[in-house]
Amino acid sequence: MSKKGELDVLIEENEENALELSATNKEVASENEEKGEKLSGLILANEENALALSLANKLIATQNEMIKEWEAELILAKKELVFQAELILANKELKQSLQLNSDKDLFISILAHDLRSPFNALLGLSELLSENLRQYNIGEIENLVNHIKSSAQNTYILLEDILMWVRTQTGKISFEPQKLNFADICKDILEILKPSANTKNITINSSATDEINVFADKDMLKTVLRNLISNAIKFTNKNGAININSEENSGNVTISVSDNGIGISQDNLAKLFDISHVLTTKGTEEETGTGLGLLLCKEFVEKNGGKIWVESEVGKGSDFKFTLPIYTEHLNDINN
């Protein structure tokens, strides 16, 4: 083939290649345009997402600020509630303190009034005896002397209770719980109160056994027993009977002092251990009292870890009961 022929072939091939290249470039340009449109769409979508995210972040930031404000308000509200609770408690304690002081003032005024009666009796009987000593026979003198003795004993017991009560209110009374044989304590108290019971021909029966040991303060237990038995004597008619029992149950000893005396009305039962309702009921032989003894009993029994209550019916007598812990080595170790 001549050179011209070869040249024509090359030109023809180049034209074909140019056409193919042009077609390829068009395809690439078309693809790039499509990709450009997609990219523009993605950019637009990202811009929209960025705007939405920015708005969401602003909303979250606003909500966080609101939450912080709510938290601050909640803290203030809690502080206010705590302050109000403390204020209510303080007001309650103040009212209780004022009521207690008022009750004590009332009680002291009752004591001052009731103390005059036994002293007036002592003074009156003494004066009567002094003025008529040479005129009275031995029987009349003996009768007056017995009345003076009884009045003096009751007054002394009352004064002891008053002093004991004052010491408890000022925190000056000691508390020393120890192992105590209840039968021995009961025997000591009965020896003291036997003359009063004999005056009214009252029989006192005690079933306390030597096996029962309680864990209590000796002086406090004696005060409780003395007051309960004295009251039983006071409110029991002549030739009556008083029973003292003790029974172990569930780690405690239940002690009861019961009588067949005049009993207590339902209205007065709830007032017996309340300082704001002091009862001054007279005994069957016009014996006087202030109700102070029962307040001491309640305070001392509870101090020793027990409780006290009463069951009574008018005309049939009363049954005062209280509990004390049974003595154990464990209790003794705790106290020591």
Side-chain angles (χ1 to χ4, degrees), residues 37-54:
E37 290 176 354
K38 290 180 178 180
L39 183 60
S40 297
L42 289 173
I43 292 172
L44 181 62
N46 286 338
E47 288 178 349
E48 292 176 350
N49 289 336
L51 180 61
L53 184 60
S54 176

Side-chain angles (χ1 to χ4, degrees), residues 13-32:
E13 289 177 351
N14 286 336
E15 287 178 350
E16 291 177 355
N17 289 335
L19 289 173
E20 290 178 358
L21 181 61
S22 176
T24 300
N25 287 335
K26 287 181 180 180
E27 290 178 0
V28 170
S30 176
E31 290 177 358
N32 287 338

Side-chain angles (χ1 to χ4, degrees), residues 318-331:
S318 302
D319 188 5
F320 283 83
K321 298 181 179 181
F322 66 97
T323 61
L324 289 175
I326 293 175
Y327 173 81
T328 63
E329 293 295 337
H330 175 67
L331 282 175

Side-chain angles (χ1 to χ4, degrees), residues 58-171:
K58 289 181 179 179
L59 179 61
I60 291 172
T62 302
Q63 290 176 342
N64 286 336
E65 289 296 324
M66 292 176 64
I67 290 172
K68 288 180 180 179
E69 291 178 359
W70 291 341
E71 287 177 345
E73 291 176 357
L74 183 60
I75 291 172
L76 290 175
K78 286 181 177 179
K79 289 182 178 179
E80 181 66 22
L81 286 175
V82 171
F83 175 74
Q84 289 180 359
E86 291 175 347
L87 187 60
I88 292 172
L89 181 60
N91 286 336
K92 184 178 179 181
E93 291 176 349
L94 180 59
K95 288 180 180 179
Q96 290 175 343
S97 178
L98 291 173
Q99 183 62 47
L100 183 59
N101 287 333
S102 177
D103 291 342
K104 287 182 178 179
D105 290 342
L106 173 63
F107 187 62
I108 290 171
S109 67
I110 293 173
L111 281 179
H113 177 269
D114 287 351
L115 272 173
R116 293 191 181 97
S117 295
F119 278 109
N120 286 336
L122 280 172
L123 291 172
L125 291 170
S126 305
E127 185 176 356
L128 187 63
L129 180 61
S130 175
E131 292 177 351
N132 299 280
L133 183 60
R134 297 185 183 279
Q135 286 76 32
Y136 285 159
N137 60 43
I138 189 64
E140 292 172 326
I141 293 174
E142 184 178 5
N143 185 49
L144 281 174
V145 169
N146 286 334
H147 279 298
I148 291 173
K149 178 183 177 182
S150 177
S151 182
Q153 285 178 334
N154 291 332
T155 305
Y156 178 72
I157 290 173
L158 177 58
L159 287 174
E160 273 196 328
D161 285 344
I162 292 172
L163 292 174
M164 184 74 75
W165 182 76
V166 171
R167 288 169 63 194
T168 61
Q169 301 307 304
T170 55

Side-chain angles (χ1 to χ4, degrees), residues 1-15:
M1 182 181 292
S2 65
K3 289 183 178 181
K4 182 180 179 184
E6 293 176 353
L7 184 60
D8 289 337
V9 171
L10 288 173
I11 290 170
E12 186 178 350
E13 289 177 351
N14 286 336
E15 287 178 350

